[in-house]
Amino acid sequence: MKAVTGIEREVGLHQLMFALRIYYGTLNESWKVIQTGWHGTKLSMKLHRALSSEAKLSLKALNRYFEKDNLTETIRHNFAFHFTDEPIKEALNYCSADKHNSFVSGYDRANTFYAFAEHVRVRAIILKTGEVDMGDPKQVTSAIGKLYDEGFRIFSHFTAFSDAVMVTIAKRLKAKVETFVPSLVGDLARATPILFIDKESIRAIELTTRSV
């Protein structure tokens, strides 16, 4: 993202925020799985004692987090799998008639980007992190940090718990364990997001799809 500026940077940030919204929505659905598949069945009674102390602590942390209003559920209900208009209306009060009210269009829908809509949505998400003065850059920065930190923290608890459960089940099933070395790996240090798509590439994909 540091290598691009202008509209390319805005598109990259849009993709990042899109992924973050789906990320939070998935975390919330994961909690429902724990409620129904763990707390709501006899599985917890059979396996709880066999879990590691880290997994037990992570489960307690998740119970405490989801028993009250939280950012994960808020983003899921307003910006991930459901979309309500009230947060957007609130965010519109903080938008000024400036360069943000713009959009990019191309010959193909894949290269259409509504920058003004993205700016409103980002403001709406930031406002949902808590009491934020949108005119204070430090508060806005802190709110954005909370978006990342809280999601990753909850994810780490899910990972610790779910890994322990799956390993415990696999051991009881006497699953066969094999080790493999991947031949192809991605280099995240060199990876870049897809921003705008070449017209000929889109046409090639369309022709391939039609011929199938």
Side-chain angles (χ1 to χ4, degrees):
M1 289 307 302
K2 293 181 180 179
V4 296
T5 59
I7 189 63
E8 288 86 0
R9 186 175 181 82
E10 291 190 35
V11 172
L13 290 173
H14 156 69
Q15 294 176 352
L16 186 61
M17 290 302 295
F18 177 81
L20 188 64
R21 290 187 286 118
I22 300 302
Y23 183 80
Y24 267 107
T26 304
L27 288 178
N28 195 76
E29 297 308 297
S30 299
W31 173 243
K32 291 183 179 180
V33 172
I34 290 180
Q35 286 182 302
T36 58
W38 181 261
H39 293 308
T41 67
K42 294 182 179 180
L43 191 63
S44 58
M45 297 174 60
K46 294 180 179 179
L47 302 181
H48 186 76
R49 289 186 178 181
L51 298 182
S52 65
S53 58
E54 180 187 7
K56 293 176 182 178
L57 289 174
S58 290
L59 181 59
K60 287 183 178 180
L62 291 171
N63 285 329
R64 290 194 301 268
Y65 179 78
F66 283 100
E67 70 182 5
K68 56 187 178 182
D69 293 339
N70 58 80
L71 187 58
T72 299
E73 190 175 63
T74 297
I75 291 180
R76 189 271 185 198
H77 291 331
N78 293 281
F79 306 106
F81 303 151
H82 293 277
F83 302 91
T84 57
D85 58 358
E86 289 305 319
I88 301 302
K89 290 179 180 178
E90 182 183 4
L92 284 171
N93 295 325
Y94 296 92
C95 294
S96 58
D98 57 15
K99 61 181 180 180
H100 298 314
N101 293 324
S102 63
F103 68 93
V104 177
S105 181
Y107 291 105
D108 302 281
R109 286 177 293 177
N111 288 330
T112 300
F113 175 58
Y114 297 99
F116 70 91
E118 184 62 21
H119 284 289
V120 173
R121 180 165 51 201
V122 169
R123 284 179 170 83
I125 294 174
I126 291 174
L127 288 169
K128 286 296 184 180
T129 62
E131 296 293 331
V132 182
D133 180 359
M134 295 300 293
D136 186 339
K138 290 185 178 181
Q139 289 193 27
V140 173
T141 300
S142 177
I144 294 173
K146 181 179 179 180
L147 276 173
Y148 290 100
D149 294 342
E150 187 160 322
F152 293 149
R153 176 170 56 84
I154 298 305
F155 172 75
S156 66
H157 289 315
F158 273 119
T159 300
F161 173 71
S162 60
D163 284 356
V165 171
M166 293 303 295
V167 169
T168 301
I169 293 175
K171 286 180 177 179
R172 297 198 176 193
L173 292 175
K174 298 181 179 180
K176 181 181 179 181
V177 179
E178 295 182 354
T179 302
F180 80 97
V181 178
S183 59
L184 296 174
V185 296
D187 185 352
L188 295 180
R190 300 174 59 187
T192 57
I194 296 175
L195 299 179
F196 291 101
I197 304 173
D198 178 71
K199 184 177 180 179
E200 294 305 318
S201 298
I202 297 176
R203 291 286 180 265
I205 294 173
E206 290 177 346
L207 291 173
T208 302
T209 303
R210 291 171 186 171
S211 63
V212 174

